[in-house]
Amino acid sequence: MRGRNLRGELDAFLAEREAELIGFRRDLHMNPELAFAEYRTTQRVAERLGAAGLVPTVLPRGTGLICEIGSGEGPTVALRADIDALPVPDEKDVPYSSTVPGVCHACGHDVHTAILLGAGLFLAQQARAGLLPGKVRLLFQPAEELPGGALEVLAAGGLSGVDRIFGLHCDPKVDVGKVGLKAGPITSACDRVNIRVSGPGGHTARPHLTVDLVFALAKILTELPAALSRRVDPRSSLSLVWGRVEAGSVANAIPDDGLAEGTLRCLDEEAWHAAPDMIKSLLESVAGAYGVEVDLDYVRGVPPVVNEEDSVQMLSEAAESMLGEGASVPTQQSLGGEDFGWYLESVPGAFARLGTRTPGTAHAGDIHQGTFDVDESCIGAGVRFLVGTALTALWEERQPTVEEPLVVVNSDT
Ligand SMILES: [Zn+2]
Ligand SMILES: [Zn+2]
């Protein structure tokens, strides 16, 4: 990369530090902490960064931290890891099993944390040697699973001055040493839609004197998703699916209230932004026809992660140069959510799927299961990949200013 033997430098760094980073991951794995309760994890990361001469800032709630590497001129690239565990019991029989009943790093965030720590330690070394062409901001984000930790980081100014952001997630469907990449949307949005309907109840013999609430609710249940599907681009795959309906208590009385609860899933960012207003106006028009009062509680989940194309190219270059030819493989958009999408609403960037499967393994356990584990050589691979990505992005952000004089040569002045 830029003529330097970065691979060799990373080899030397990992020869010295890889065992420590694996130990760091195992310590977090044995001591998992749930969303917004990651006090020990935050402390451990802060101590290690501090020992390397860095000055991290803990977020206002006391969990999660931000750490800037490098100073002076140049662009800023942010690298993000999430640090929280899940309320899932650990079912693995390994020496580093969770010691906290019912809590486990079943989504691999312990691995993400160890990788970002390793990348930070290496980049700090580069900065001290005057080799960092800008600044790198490490974001150790709490509460991805809640979700909402990304909003804490944003509220704390975590992205101010950042030109580009990158993140990664363990993927047990991809072999270790490879990374899954995709431009455009890579995860999906999922929001909650809660509707309460009300009106004067009465005897079922006289529906005309009431609003016939159960009939009106049934109309909303069928007409709202149908109308919605006619108002958005079908390619956005926006869908409203009900999960819970409740109204009435006896066959011959029309109730005076009822409710419907469902989820709205969406693969497309534009449609996701438009969804709440659209649901509101469609609901009002359907309900209006039957005279019922409606109350909509629309609960935002996370936006889809929409990878920016240039940033994906940088991830791809980093994978090929740091992990070897053919290390970047295509991946598909998942229907799962990931709060990294909040960052990409503010700055360009991209999210990668880091291979964690031991090659040749037929069936690697999936994330969010108590049996999930990784091939720990993914930690070294992740460090190489993130370091390569940060440096590629910093160099490419700088490039326009380096090339500008060539354009100015022909100007009138
Ligand atoms: Zn998860
Ligand atoms: Zn996760």
Side-chain angles (χ1 to χ4, degrees):
M1 196 168 290
R2 297 296 180 269
R4 284 177 39 214
N5 181 19
L6 193 57
R7 274 180 88 149
E9 289 174 45
L10 277 160
D11 286 343
F13 172 80
L14 287 170
E16 204 182 321
R17 296 272 170 234
E18 190 172 11
E20 180 198 335
L21 294 173
I22 290 174
F24 194 91
R25 178 254 164 168
R26 292 186 173 196
D27 174 69
L28 297 187
H29 202 86
M30 291 173 77
N31 299 280
E33 294 171 304
L34 292 173
F36 286 132
E38 312 95 329
Y39 297 102
R40 181 184 181 278
T41 307
T42 299
Q43 200 55 39
R44 293 276 291 123
V45 174
E47 278 166 13
R48 187 61 190 88
L49 292 171
L54 294 167
V55 189
T57 308
V58 174
L59 293 173
R61 281 171 85 137
T63 74
L65 58 153
I66 297 177
C67 184
E68 190 121 319
I69 301 169
S71 55
E73 290 299 293
T76 301
V77 166
L79 302 175
R80 173 273 210 170
D82 38 15
I83 65 172
D84 56 324
L86 279 165
V88 169
D90 195 341
E91 293 168 27
K92 302 184 302 296
D93 183 19
V94 291
Y96 50 90
S97 294
S98 170
T99 59
V100 184
V103 182
C104 174
H105 268 294
C107 203
H109 299 185
D110 53 337
V111 175
H112 308 164
T113 306
I115 290 172
L116 186 60
L117 174 67
L121 295 177
F122 180 83
L123 290 166
Q125 211 170 277
Q126 297 279 299
R128 273 197 300 277
L131 296 170
L132 200 63
K135 285 172 280 195
V136 176
R137 189 174 303 164
L138 312 179
L139 304 175
F140 291 91
Q141 181 210 301
E144 192 283 321
E145 299 286 0
L146 209 53
L151 297 174
E152 286 287 306
V153 173
L154 288 167
L159 282 198
S160 67
V162 167
D163 297 287
R164 217 172 269 278
I165 182 167
F166 297 95
L168 54 73
H169 203 290
C170 291
D171 188 343
K173 295 187 294 302
V174 177
D175 280 352
V176 68
K178 298 201 183 303
V179 288
L181 300 179
K182 180 185 181 296
I186 185 170
T187 65
S188 305
C190 180
D191 299 343
R192 287 283 295 268
V193 177
N194 303 323
I195 292 170
R196 182 164 284 280
V197 291
S198 57
H203 199 289
T204 51
R206 292 176 286 281
H208 55 289
L209 298 179
T210 74
V211 297
D212 202 355
L213 190 121
V214 175
F215 185 82
L217 181 58
K219 282 292 187 186
I220 289 169
L221 292 174
T222 54
E223 286 182 17
L224 188 56
L228 199 59
S229 71
R230 292 293 170 275
R231 291 279 299 273
V232 294
D233 187 333
R235 286 169 298 183
S236 67
S237 292
L238 185 143
S239 68
L240 173 61
V241 179
W242 304 113
R244 178 168 178 246
V245 178
E246 204 180 282
S249 57
V250 67
N252 61 356
I254 293 170
D256 54 15
D257 71 349
L259 61 87
E261 294 177 355
T263 55
L264 181 133
R265 283 172 201 273
C266 182
L267 302 185
D268 175 72
E269 199 190 13
E270 212 178 303
W272 180 75
H273 277 289
D277 284 348
M278 206 180 292
I279 295 254
K280 190 167 182 291
S281 74
L282 289 172
L283 178 63
E284 280 166 3
S285 71
V286 175
Y290 301 96
V292 286
E293 293 278 313
V294 283
D295 181 27
L296 171 68
D297 178 22
Y298 193 103
V299 186
R300 273 291 199 208
V302 293
V305 171
V306 182
N307 279 344
E308 187 253 354
E309 216 162 305
D310 290 345
S311 303
V312 174
Q313 188 53 37
M314 292 170 190
L315 288 173
S316 172
E317 279 173 36
E320 298 282 322
S321 61
M322 292 296 112
L323 302 177
E325 217 174 297
S328 103
V329 296
T331 190
Q332 288 183 330
Q333 181 171 17
S334 86
L335 280 167
E338 158 65 61
D339 79 356
F340 191 79
W342 288 118
Y343 299 118
L344 298 186
E345 302 254 293
S346 316
V347 294
F351 194 67
R353 300 219 169 98
L354 181 78
T356 62
R357 177 176 64 189
T358 305
T361 312
H363 185 73
D366 204 358
I367 53 173
H368 285 219
Q369 293 180 352
T371 50
F372 172 73
D373 204 356
V374 300
D375 181 321
E376 286 176 316
S377 62
C378 74
I379 293 175
V383 170
R384 291 174 195 272
F385 176 53
L386 272 194
V387 164
T389 298
L391 292 173
T392 301
L394 287 177
W395 278 114
E396 294 197 9
E397 291 287 343
R398 276 172 68 108
Q399 222 169 14
T401 50
V402 173
E403 285 176 356
E404 244 161 40
L406 296 175
V407 181
V408 176
V409 168
N410 292 331
S411 73
D412 293 340
T413 55

